[in-house]
Amino acid sequence: MVNNRFGKVIVTLLAAVTILMSCMIQPVVAKMRLYRGQTLYVPIYSHIYSGNREQPVYLAATLSLRNTDREHSITITAVDYYDSQGKLLTHYLEKPLVLGAMATQRYVVPESDKSGGSGAKFIVVWQSDQPVTEPLIESVMISTKTQQGISFTSRGRVLDEILP
């Protein structure tokens, strides 16, 4: 009988402590890392292979640069397209491009452009005068020539970064 009462008291105390602690705990908010610039590698597939004979399926590719910062612009200083062997094919920027807060810029490699090959890539460089949230830089590949249709995305990978 004594053990039963003691158990009830312990359970009641634990419940009270749990309620008090839950009232005292502040919600934890994840803080995004801020950057002043990055160099990114973004895979692009101008074609992929299908079937036993490795038949090429040619794709249109869109490079999407999305400034996720709600207040500050970023400056894109390089958008360079390379082929499978690492040879530079195209400089897409003649001068730096200012991408406003929450703005997006796109670059399209047409389906008819087979020069990049299956290992094509973009190197994108951006910078900012003040620390900003990391932009979202990705590619979208699509083909609708077959009966099935193919589409997929690829995210940029950071090669170098400038922290605040």
Side-chain angles (χ1 to χ4, degrees):
M1 188 82 166
V2 172
N3 286 340
N4 193 17
R5 280 189 192 163
F6 182 70
K8 288 181 180 179
V9 169
I10 294 295
V11 168
T12 303
L13 283 173
L14 285 173
V17 169
T18 302
I19 291 169
L20 283 173
M21 287 183 69
S22 67
C23 292
M24 296 170 61
I25 295 175
Q26 296 287 329
V28 177
V29 177
K31 188 170 183 169
M32 293 187 71
R33 287 183 65 186
L34 300 178
Y35 300 87
R36 292 182 65 109
Q38 292 177 321
T39 300
L40 293 109
Y41 174 102
V42 187
I44 294 286
Y45 301 87
S46 66
H47 58 278
I48 55 176
Y49 299 98
S50 175
N52 292 333
R53 293 186 179 180
E54 296 185 13
Q55 293 295 321
V57 176
Y58 298 104
L59 305 164
T62 302
L63 175 69
S64 179
L65 312 176
R66 297 170 181 259
N67 182 0
T68 64
D69 200 278
R70 294 179 183 185
E71 298 176 17
H72 305 289
S73 62
I74 62 174
T75 302
I76 309 299
T77 59
V79 177
D80 295 334
Y81 184 53
Y82 293 83
D83 71 7
S84 295
Q85 287 70 42
K87 177 185 169 195
L88 177 63
L89 296 174
T90 308
H91 285 291
Y92 278 83
L93 289 182
E94 296 202 15
K95 62 181 182 174
L97 169 73
V98 175
L99 197 57
M102 300 299 289
T104 301
Q105 177 67 32
R106 59 140 175 89
Y107 298 93
V108 176
V109 179
E111 189 174 321
S112 60
D113 182 350
K114 300 168 182 61
S115 64
S118 61
K121 74 277 299 157
F122 275 98
I123 299 295
V124 176
V125 181
W126 70 270
Q127 62 188 30
S128 178
D129 293 335
Q130 62 277 325
V132 296
T133 57
E134 185 175 21
L136 176 61
I137 300 179
E138 62 187 351
S139 59
V140 179
M141 281 64 61
I142 186 167
S143 174
T144 57
K145 294 231 176 184
T146 65
Q147 290 178 337
Q148 294 179 350
I150 297 171
S151 65
F152 57 98
T153 64
S154 205
R155 289 264 172 105
R157 181 179 198 137
V158 176
L159 299 177
D160 190 24
E161 60 190 14
I162 303 168
L163 297 173

